[in-house]
């Protein structure tokens, strides 16, 4: 099993995706997701210019050794570009190994720990009636846990709210809650923390009154709060029994979570922008979070994220892997195999991809009664149709950014 070919495929069916495809001398292929939203081409270059030449001729069976080689031989450690590139290689090698074994990947990771993965979907609405409709639509689609994002009075355009204007900006593609916008410049959104902190508890009160106490509800504060603001939000949401409050602070300052924890028992989820176990060292050891948000795609692949989650398991901290549309079907498949095999699975974020994306990436996962399952095909269970992929060239796209009313740039 010698790696004979390594191709980096960029395609933009409904949005940009970067995929690494490895082919061995005995004809096995493996896929890995390397999509880094808004900075896609940096990972393409990292792979094409610096990693592909190192892979050719290597033994595809040596996954751990290849991981350590790519991580340590670069000298420059960590970071989203490096770790997305390493993740793509790692997942492609696991895909190959599982195909060689004739097993779905989760079997090689220890076998299933559950019959399927509880997944949450994204409901949103600028006003309550629209939000309620969105919750109902998700329930009809089978979701048994739902993220709630709402408009805030006085703010026009904020994170997490699906709107028609956004779909038009993406050339008519209806792609719910896709924050990246095609175009030469990032779009500007509004933010005001005081209005948000006042408004959000009233939204959760209304949702609980409408949908009852049982439905697991989640919310993403998207890195916008100071520690004391986050503490206040967590406390004010306690009556509504959240499954989690996500990214309440920009958590590269891990110590900030100590302050939040002192004031609230609302469960906390952090880490979609983290990329190594080192980003979690303090918050896991001090039990400052309840869920690890890292995706396989952005955290060094199956090999490294499993290490993070095994560390988390010692502290009863569970997985809550990031699953937005910018994780490709390849990255989602990898997440489902890992989630099925680990004991400390918590919940999986699930935003269904669009029809064009599903034609490029042929998948075998199933969605049944609110549970995801990766399927039984050997490997990760995804095939990439190169002809379909070739129809959709890269289109420049950026994530938005925030300004406060006085023009100050704020965390997005
Ligand atoms: O903003 O995936 O929880 N989900 C999120 C996402 C992220 C995007 C960034 O690429 O926070 O919507
Ligand atoms: Co998030």
């Amino acid at each position: 099993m010698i790696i004979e070919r390594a191709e980096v495929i960029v395609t933009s069916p409904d949005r940009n995706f970067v995929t690494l495809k490895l082919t061995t001398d005995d004809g096995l292929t493996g896929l890995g997701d390397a999509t880094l939203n808004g900075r896609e081409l940096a990972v393409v270059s990292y792979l094409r210019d610096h990693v592909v030449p190192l892979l050719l001729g290597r033994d595809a069976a040596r996954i751990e050794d290849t991981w350590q080689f790519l991580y340590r031989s670069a000298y420059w450690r960590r970071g989203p570009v490096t770790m997305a590139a390493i993740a793509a290689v790692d997942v492609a090698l696991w895909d190959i190994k599982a195909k060689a074994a004739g097993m779905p990947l989760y079997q090689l990771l220890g076998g299933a720990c559950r019959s399927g993965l509880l997944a949450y979907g994204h409901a949103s609405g600028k006003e309550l009636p629209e939000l309620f409709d969105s919750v109902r639509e998700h329930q009809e689609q089978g979701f048994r846990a739902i993220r709630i994002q709402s408009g805030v009075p006085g703010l026009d355009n904020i994170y997490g709210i699906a709107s028609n204007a956004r779909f038009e900006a993406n050339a008519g593609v209806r792609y719910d809650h896709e924050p990246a916008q095609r175009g030469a410049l990032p779009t500007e959104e509004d933010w005001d923390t005081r209005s948000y902190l006042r408004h959000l508890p009233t939204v959760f009160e209304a949702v609980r009154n409408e949908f009852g106490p049982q439905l697991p509800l989640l919310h993403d504060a998207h890195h916008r709060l100071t520690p004391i603001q986050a503490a206040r939000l967590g406390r004010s949401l306690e009556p509504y029994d959240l499954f989690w409050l996500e990214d309440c602070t920009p958590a590269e300052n891990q110590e900030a979570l100590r302050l939040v924890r002192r004031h609230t028992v609302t469960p906390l989820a952090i880490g979609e922008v983290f990329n190594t176990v080192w980003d979690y060292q303090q918050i896991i050891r001090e039990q400052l979070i309840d869920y690890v948000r890292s995706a396989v795609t952005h955290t060094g692949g199956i090999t490294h994220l499993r290490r993070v989650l095994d560390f988390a398991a010692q502290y009863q901290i569970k997985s809550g892997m990031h699953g937005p549309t910018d994780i490709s079907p390849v990255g989602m498949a990898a997440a489902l195999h890992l989630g099925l095999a680990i004991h400390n699975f918590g919940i999986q974020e699930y935003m269904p991809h669009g029809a064009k994306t599903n034609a490029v990436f042929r998948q075998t996962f199933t969605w049944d009664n609110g549970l995801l399952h990766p399927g039984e095909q050997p490997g990760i269970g995804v095939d990439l149709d190169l002809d379909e992929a070739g129809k959709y060239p890269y289109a420049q796209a950026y994530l938005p950014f925030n300004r406060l009313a006085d023009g100050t740039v704020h965390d997005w």
Side-chain angles (χ1 to χ4, degrees), residues 9-13 19 21 31 330 356-363 382-392:
I9 296 137
V10 182
T11 181
S12 194
T19 311
K21 179 179 180 184
L31 298 176
V330 173
K356 288 185 199 160
T357 298
N358 291 333
V360 171
F361 298 94
R362 287 195 304 263
Q363 303 167 69
V382 184
D383 282 320
L384 177 61
D385 184 326
L386 282 175
D387 293 334
E388 281 295 314
K391 290 184 190 168
Y392 308 108

Side-chain angles (χ1 to χ4, degrees), residues 147 159 220 222 246-247 272 293 322:
R147 187 182 92 158
Y159 168 79
D220 193 345
H222 224 261
E246 174 180 345
D247 287 334
E272 69 186 40
R293 286 287 287 145
H322 197 206

